Amino acid sequence: MNNDFSTVIAAMSVEEKVALLTGSGLWRTASMPQHGIPDIVMTDGTYGVRYSSAQIDGNEKWSMDDFISVITQTADQASADEPVAKGGSEALFSASLPATCFPNGSSLACSWDVELVREMGEALGRECQQMGVGILLGPGINIRRTPLAGRGYEYYSEDPVVSGDIAAALINGLQAEGVGASLKHFAANNSEYRRTEMDSIIEERALREIYLAGFQRAIAKSKPWTVMSSYNRLNGVQTSQDPFLLTQVLRDEWGYDGLVMSDWYGIKDRPASLLAGNDLAMPETRRDKQTLLAAISCGEVPMPVVDRACLRMLELVDKVQRHRRPHTRADFAAHHALSQRLAAESIVLLKNDDNLLPLKPHKTPRIAVIGKPAQEPVIQGSGCATTVPYLLDRPLDEIFDLAGDDFKVTWAPGAPDDNQSDEQALAQARDVAGAADVAVIFVSTAVGEDGENGDRQDLNILPAHEQLIREVAGVQPNVVVVLANSDAVVMPWLGECRALLETFFAGQGDGARCG
């Protein structure tokens, strides 16, 4: 595009400027061929590319209702068009293009490996380039203040140093491949319950030392192309229209010169948000356009403020265009191997009495594998970040492959229904476990309890899974529990197992690492 931005801005009408500062549909910015301005495609997420062809390329209608239906869809509510699992199983995830599902934030940060995370960012960038995505909406680095937070699984840590360094590594890898990041959600977005109304009351010292420090660190180390404001209020002020946050801290103190965009439908007062420093309102809404036009017309929003935001938009559009690599073809097999490496580095061994792990043929030649997640692994949370995995390693398959002739492996689902106990299945699990030398039980928190616009109700794993652990432990002293969960859980059953592996949500390569 023409990079004489001041000339372009001077030639634009007020209506065109307002359109430039507002999304076009759900996932694009405005295209203005008359001024040589192409659009930008952006999409979620924080650990994989969720590209909905129907919404981005097709004529699917878009509205708040459509958006909510997307972000509240859980991983077991819809299927993709093609098999993604080893052995040809049907997919369990929402309809979008297959991509690499890397470990989620709460898992990834356990790796402490910034170089490996940078490689993940590069892989995400290549997949974005293949799909024509210019901005990936992540990473999310809000402080995991409470383990009940619905999107805690997307975030890295309760420590701003860890959060900032992991985020910077991912951003640097992503942007090295010519795709912009959107560091989010700025700031203090610590729960999902009534998230557009909740007010985070935080004294300034705690705000700066904990909740803002990770953002400051990531920005200093990576210069993300965009920052996304959050839904919540902060000390009584909506963050999307908070001049203290978006201008004083972000720009004046930290020197950030990139673009600030809103979270989707996160703006309540468009003129106030632009005055505060929120350049781009996403997605397109008639209300945002009309209220901003009226505010400009009556002088409430001065034209220099509008032009400054337009300049940032044009700079971003130019940056995306200059870095487009339309012939990029991602190596999904290599990215799957990377997801396996990341999962291996992220899984945490929390308990290992008498060095039960690793399993050895001369000690435990008969292995009972128990639990539905061994066959249907819980690899990610729900909501806007949900990724259709290009490949999927199943722990049960991997265990059979690795066992070979050295082990005898048996299998029982134990709890085929997450929501209720099954006495027949429990009896089968007890029989299988009792006849083995060790029982490896795969358990999880409820699929879909995490995600957007709602928080977890408690810190338990599924009651049916807890019962399964206790039933198996009654007949088998050597119990290994493999746990998949969004965030911290209580473990009243900890004494029933001799070894415990914490995977959090470790992505599509998790099965090969914990199998």
Side-chain angles (χ1 to χ4, degrees), residues 346-387:
S346 301
I347 293 171
V348 181
L349 181 62
L350 293 179
K351 182 179 183 179
N352 194 22
D353 289 354
D354 303 320
N355 293 314
L356 179 59
L357 296 176
L359 301 180
K360 300 291 185 181
H362 66 277
K363 290 174 60 179
T364 56
R366 297 172 299 172
I367 302 173
V369 180
I370 297 170
K372 188 174 74 170
Q375 191 176 46
E376 299 177 18
V378 180
I379 65 169
Q380 63 182 322
S382 303
C384 72
T386 304
T387 303

Short mmCIF file of all heavy atoms in Angstrom, two decimals, residues 346-387:
data_model
loop_
_atom_site.label_atom_id
_atom_site.label_comp_id
_atom_site.label_asym_id
_atom_site.label_seq_id
_atom_site.Cartn_x
_atom_site.Cartn_y
_atom_site.Cartn_z
N SER A 346 6.74 -29.81 29.44
CA SER A 346 5.75 -29.12 30.26
C SER A 346 5.09 -30.02 31.31
O SER A 346 4.59 -29.53 32.32
CB SER A 346 4.65 -28.53 29.37
OG SER A 346 5.19 -27.61 28.44
N ILE A 347 5.08 -31.32 31.08
CA ILE A 347 4.46 -32.25 32.04
C ILE A 347 5.30 -32.26 33.32
O ILE A 347 6.53 -32.27 33.28
CB ILE A 347 4.36 -33.65 31.44
CG1 ILE A 347 3.36 -33.65 30.28
CG2 ILE A 347 3.93 -34.67 32.49
CD1 ILE A 347 3.35 -34.94 29.48
N VAL A 348 4.61 -32.26 34.46
CA VAL A 348 5.30 -32.19 35.75
C VAL A 348 5.02 -33.47 36.55
O VAL A 348 3.87 -33.87 36.71
CB VAL A 348 4.83 -30.97 36.57
CG1 VAL A 348 5.56 -30.91 37.90
CG2 VAL A 348 5.05 -29.68 35.79
N LEU A 349 6.06 -34.10 37.04
CA LEU A 349 5.93 -35.26 37.92
C LEU A 349 5.78 -34.76 39.35
O LEU A 349 6.72 -34.25 39.94
CB LEU A 349 7.17 -36.15 37.80
CG LEU A 349 7.18 -37.44 38.63
CD1 LEU A 349 6.04 -38.36 38.22
CD2 LEU A 349 8.52 -38.14 38.51
N LEU A 350 4.58 -34.88 39.90
CA LEU A 350 4.29 -34.34 41.23
C LEU A 350 4.53 -35.34 42.34
O LEU A 350 4.74 -34.95 43.49
CB LEU A 350 2.82 -33.87 41.28
CG LEU A 350 2.44 -32.67 40.42
CD1 LEU A 350 0.96 -32.36 40.57
CD2 LEU A 350 3.28 -31.45 40.79
N LYS A 351 4.47 -36.62 42.00
CA LYS A 351 4.65 -37.65 43.03
C LYS A 351 5.20 -38.90 42.37
O LYS A 351 4.77 -39.25 41.27
CB LYS A 351 3.30 -37.95 43.71
CG LYS A 351 3.37 -38.97 44.84
CD LYS A 351 1.99 -39.18 45.48
CE LYS A 351 2.08 -40.16 46.65
NZ LYS A 351 0.76 -40.37 47.30
N ASN A 352 6.13 -39.58 43.04
CA ASN A 352 6.71 -40.81 42.49
C ASN A 352 7.30 -41.65 43.61
O ASN A 352 8.51 -41.82 43.70
CB ASN A 352 7.76 -40.48 41.42
CG ASN A 352 8.12 -41.68 40.58
OD1 ASN A 352 7.36 -42.63 40.47
ND2 ASN A 352 9.31 -41.66 39.98
N ASP A 353 6.42 -42.17 44.45
CA ASP A 353 6.88 -42.96 45.60
C ASP A 353 7.62 -44.20 45.13
O ASP A 353 7.18 -44.92 44.22
CB ASP A 353 5.68 -43.39 46.46
CG ASP A 353 5.08 -42.22 47.23
OD1 ASP A 353 5.66 -41.11 47.18
OD2 ASP A 353 4.02 -42.42 47.86
N ASP A 354 8.77 -44.45 45.77
CA ASP A 354 9.59 -45.64 45.50
C ASP A 354 9.99 -45.76 44.04
O ASP A 354 10.22 -46.87 43.53
CB ASP A 354 8.84 -46.93 45.93
CG ASP A 354 8.45 -46.90 47.41
OD1 ASP A 354 9.26 -46.43 48.22
OD2 ASP A 354 7.32 -47.33 47.72
N ASN A 355 10.06 -44.61 43.36
CA ASN A 355 10.47 -44.58 41.95
C ASN A 355 9.67 -45.55 41.10
O ASN A 355 10.21 -46.30 40.27
CB ASN A 355 11.98 -44.90 41.83
CG ASN A 355 12.83 -43.81 42.43
OD1 ASN A 355 12.60 -42.62 42.20
ND2 ASN A 355 13.82 -44.20 43.22
N LEU A 356 8.35 -45.52 41.29
CA LEU A 356 7.48 -46.37 40.49
C LEU A 356 7.62 -46.06 39.00
O LEU A 356 7.56 -46.96 38.15
CB LEU A 356 6.03 -46.19 40.95
CG LEU A 356 4.96 -46.99 40.21
CD1 LEU A 356 5.23 -48.49 40.32
CD2 LEU A 356 3.57 -46.64 40.75
N LEU A 357 7.78 -44.79 38.68
CA LEU A 357 8.02 -44.38 37.30
C LEU A 357 9.51 -44.13 37.08
O LEU A 357 10.19 -43.64 37.98
CB LEU A 357 7.23 -43.10 36.98
CG LEU A 357 5.71 -43.21 37.03
CD1 LEU A 357 5.07 -41.85 36.79
CD2 LEU A 357 5.19 -44.22 36.04
N PRO A 358 10.04 -44.41 35.92
CA PRO A 358 9.36 -45.01 34.76
C PRO A 358 9.09 -46.50 34.95
O PRO A 358 9.80 -47.17 35.70
CB PRO A 358 10.35 -44.77 33.62
CG PRO A 358 11.69 -44.76 34.29
CD PRO A 358 11.46 -44.10 35.64
N LEU A 359 8.05 -46.97 34.27
CA LEU A 359 7.69 -48.38 34.38
C LEU A 359 8.74 -49.24 33.67
O LEU A 359 9.18 -48.92 32.57
CB LEU A 359 6.32 -48.62 33.77
CG LEU A 359 5.16 -47.82 34.39
CD1 LEU A 359 3.84 -48.15 33.67
CD2 LEU A 359 5.04 -48.08 35.89
N LYS A 360 9.13 -50.34 34.34
CA LYS A 360 10.15 -51.24 33.81
C LYS A 360 9.57 -52.65 33.67
O LYS A 360 8.83 -53.10 34.55
CB LYS A 360 11.36 -51.28 34.73
CG LYS A 360 12.06 -49.94 34.94
CD LYS A 360 12.75 -49.46 33.68
CE LYS A 360 13.55 -48.18 33.94
NZ LYS A 360 14.21 -47.69 32.72
N PRO A 361 9.92 -53.36 32.60
CA PRO A 361 9.35 -54.71 32.39
C PRO A 361 9.61 -55.67 33.53
O PRO A 361 8.76 -56.50 33.86
CB PRO A 361 10.02 -55.18 31.09
CG PRO A 361 10.49 -53.96 30.41
CD PRO A 361 10.81 -52.98 31.49
N HIS A 362 10.78 -55.58 34.16
CA HIS A 362 11.10 -56.54 35.22
C HIS A 362 10.37 -56.23 36.52
O HIS A 362 10.26 -57.11 37.39
CB HIS A 362 12.61 -56.58 35.47
CG HIS A 362 13.16 -55.29 36.03
ND1 HIS A 362 13.50 -54.21 35.24
CD2 HIS A 362 13.44 -54.91 37.32
CE1 HIS A 362 13.95 -53.22 35.99
NE2 HIS A 362 13.93 -53.62 37.26
N LYS A 363 9.83 -54.99 36.65
CA LYS A 363 9.11 -54.62 37.87
C LYS A 363 7.60 -54.70 37.68
O LYS A 363 6.88 -55.20 38.55
CB LYS A 363 9.49 -53.18 38.28
CG LYS A 363 10.93 -53.04 38.80
CD LYS A 363 11.26 -51.58 39.04
CE LYS A 363 10.36 -50.94 40.07
NZ LYS A 363 10.73 -49.52 40.32
N THR A 364 7.10 -54.18 36.58
CA THR A 364 5.65 -54.12 36.35
C THR A 364 5.34 -54.55 34.92
O THR A 364 4.97 -53.72 34.08
CB THR A 364 5.11 -52.69 36.60
OG1 THR A 364 5.84 -51.77 35.76
CG2 THR A 364 5.26 -52.29 38.06
N PRO A 365 5.47 -55.83 34.61
CA PRO A 365 5.26 -56.26 33.23
C PRO A 365 3.80 -56.21 32.78
O PRO A 365 3.54 -56.20 31.58
CB PRO A 365 5.77 -57.71 33.24
CG PRO A 365 5.63 -58.15 34.66
CD PRO A 365 5.90 -56.94 35.50
N ARG A 366 2.87 -56.17 33.73
CA ARG A 366 1.45 -56.13 33.37
C ARG A 366 0.87 -54.76 33.72
O ARG A 366 0.84 -54.38 34.89
CB ARG A 366 0.68 -57.23 34.10
CG ARG A 366 1.13 -58.65 33.74
CD ARG A 366 0.45 -59.67 34.66
NE ARG A 366 0.79 -59.44 36.05
CZ ARG A 366 0.22 -60.10 37.08
NH1 ARG A 366 -0.72 -61.00 36.85
NH2 ARG A 366 0.60 -59.84 38.33
N ILE A 367 0.46 -54.01 32.70
CA ILE A 367 -0.01 -52.64 32.89
C ILE A 367 -1.51 -52.58 32.58
O ILE A 367 -1.94 -52.99 31.49
CB ILE A 367 0.73 -51.65 31.97
CG1 ILE A 367 2.24 -51.70 32.21
CG2 ILE A 367 0.20 -50.23 32.16
CD1 ILE A 367 3.03 -50.87 31.21
N ALA A 368 -2.28 -52.06 33.51
CA ALA A 368 -3.69 -51.77 33.26
C ALA A 368 -3.84 -50.28 32.98
O ALA A 368 -3.46 -49.44 33.81
CB ALA A 368 -4.54 -52.16 34.47
N VAL A 369 -4.34 -49.96 31.81
CA VAL A 369 -4.62 -48.56 31.46
C VAL A 369 -6.11 -48.33 31.65
O VAL A 369 -6.94 -49.06 31.10
CB VAL A 369 -4.20 -48.26 30.01
CG1 VAL A 369 -4.49 -46.80 29.67
CG2 VAL A 369 -2.73 -48.57 29.79
N ILE A 370 -6.46 -47.31 32.42
CA ILE A 370 -7.85 -47.11 32.83
C ILE A 370 -8.22 -45.64 32.67
O ILE A 370 -7.41 -44.75 32.94
CB ILE A 370 -8.05 -47.58 34.29
CG1 ILE A 370 -7.78 -49.09 34.40
CG2 ILE A 370 -9.46 -47.26 34.78
CD1 ILE A 370 -7.72 -49.61 35.82
N GLY A 371 -9.45 -45.40 32.24
CA GLY A 371 -9.96 -44.03 32.14
C GLY A 371 -10.22 -43.61 30.71
O GLY A 371 -9.39 -43.84 29.82
N LYS A 372 -11.37 -43.01 30.48
CA LYS A 372 -11.73 -42.56 29.13
C LYS A 372 -10.71 -41.60 28.52
O LYS A 372 -10.46 -41.65 27.31
CB LYS A 372 -13.13 -41.92 29.15
CG LYS A 372 -13.66 -41.59 27.77
CD LYS A 372 -15.09 -41.09 27.80
CE LYS A 372 -15.18 -39.68 28.34
NZ LYS A 372 -16.53 -39.08 28.16
N PRO A 373 -10.08 -40.68 29.30
CA PRO A 373 -9.12 -39.76 28.69
C PRO A 373 -7.89 -40.44 28.09
O PRO A 373 -7.16 -39.81 27.33
CB PRO A 373 -8.72 -38.84 29.85
CG PRO A 373 -9.89 -38.89 30.78
CD PRO A 373 -10.40 -40.29 30.70
N ALA A 374 -7.67 -41.73 28.40
CA ALA A 374 -6.58 -42.45 27.73
C ALA A 374 -6.90 -42.65 26.26
O ALA A 374 -6.01 -42.72 25.42
CB ALA A 374 -6.34 -43.79 28.41
N GLN A 375 -8.18 -42.78 25.94
CA GLN A 375 -8.61 -42.98 24.57
C GLN A 375 -9.10 -41.69 23.93
O GLN A 375 -8.96 -41.50 22.72
CB GLN A 375 -9.72 -44.03 24.53
CG GLN A 375 -10.07 -44.52 23.13
CD GLN A 375 -11.10 -45.62 23.17
OE1 GLN A 375 -12.10 -45.53 23.87
NE2 GLN A 375 -10.85 -46.70 22.42
N GLU A 376 -9.70 -40.82 24.72
CA GLU A 376 -10.18 -39.52 24.25
C GLU A 376 -9.51 -38.43 25.08
O GLU A 376 -10.08 -37.90 26.01
CB GLU A 376 -11.71 -39.43 24.39
CG GLU A 376 -12.45 -40.47 23.57
CD GLU A 376 -13.96 -40.40 23.78
OE1 GLU A 376 -14.44 -39.35 24.26
OE2 GLU A 376 -14.64 -41.39 23.48
N PRO A 377 -8.26 -38.12 24.76
CA PRO A 377 -7.48 -37.23 25.62
C PRO A 377 -8.05 -35.83 25.72
O PRO A 377 -8.57 -35.28 24.74
CB PRO A 377 -6.09 -37.21 24.96
CG PRO A 377 -6.34 -37.61 23.53
CD PRO A 377 -7.49 -38.57 23.57
N VAL A 378 -7.98 -35.27 26.91
CA VAL A 378 -8.42 -33.89 27.16
C VAL A 378 -7.19 -33.01 26.99
O VAL A 378 -6.34 -32.94 27.87
CB VAL A 378 -9.03 -33.76 28.56
CG1 VAL A 378 -9.49 -32.33 28.81
CG2 VAL A 378 -10.19 -34.73 28.73
N ILE A 379 -7.10 -32.35 25.84
CA ILE A 379 -5.85 -31.67 25.46
C ILE A 379 -5.92 -30.16 25.51
O ILE A 379 -4.90 -29.48 25.41
CB ILE A 379 -5.40 -32.10 24.05
CG1 ILE A 379 -6.42 -31.63 23.00
CG2 ILE A 379 -5.19 -33.61 23.99
CD1 ILE A 379 -5.93 -31.78 21.56
N GLN A 380 -7.14 -29.59 25.67
CA GLN A 380 -7.26 -28.14 25.62
C GLN A 380 -8.54 -27.70 26.31
O GLN A 380 -9.43 -28.50 26.57
CB GLN A 380 -7.26 -27.65 24.18
CG GLN A 380 -8.43 -28.15 23.35
CD GLN A 380 -8.40 -27.68 21.91
OE1 GLN A 380 -8.02 -26.55 21.62
NE2 GLN A 380 -8.79 -28.54 20.99
N GLY A 381 -8.59 -26.38 26.58
CA GLY A 381 -9.78 -25.83 27.19
C GLY A 381 -10.81 -25.45 26.14
O GLY A 381 -10.66 -25.70 24.95
N SER A 382 -11.88 -24.82 26.61
CA SER A 382 -12.98 -24.43 25.73
C SER A 382 -12.95 -22.91 25.51
O SER A 382 -12.27 -22.19 26.22
CB SER A 382 -14.32 -24.82 26.36
OG SER A 382 -14.34 -26.21 26.63
N GLY A 383 -13.73 -22.46 24.53
CA GLY A 383 -13.81 -21.02 24.28
C GLY A 383 -13.17 -20.63 22.97
O GLY A 383 -12.99 -21.45 22.07
N CYS A 384 -12.77 -19.35 22.88
CA CYS A 384 -12.33 -18.80 21.60
C CYS A 384 -11.02 -19.41 21.12
O CYS A 384 -10.72 -19.36 19.94
CB CYS A 384 -12.21 -17.29 21.69
SG CYS A 384 -10.82 -16.72 22.67
N ALA A 385 -10.22 -19.95 22.03
CA ALA A 385 -8.91 -20.46 21.63
C ALA A 385 -8.94 -21.89 21.11
O ALA A 385 -7.92 -22.40 20.65
CB ALA A 385 -7.96 -20.37 22.83
N THR A 386 -10.09 -22.56 21.17
CA THR A 386 -10.16 -23.97 20.81
C THR A 386 -9.67 -24.22 19.39
O THR A 386 -10.12 -23.59 18.44
CB THR A 386 -11.61 -24.49 20.96
OG1 THR A 386 -12.04 -24.25 22.30
CG2 THR A 386 -11.67 -25.97 20.69
N THR A 387 -8.75 -25.16 19.25
CA THR A 387 -8.09 -25.46 17.99
C THR A 387 -8.44 -26.87 17.54
O THR A 387 -8.42 -27.80 18.35
CB THR A 387 -6.55 -25.35 18.15
OG1 THR A 387 -6.23 -24.05 18.63
CG2 THR A 387 -5.84 -25.60 16.83
#
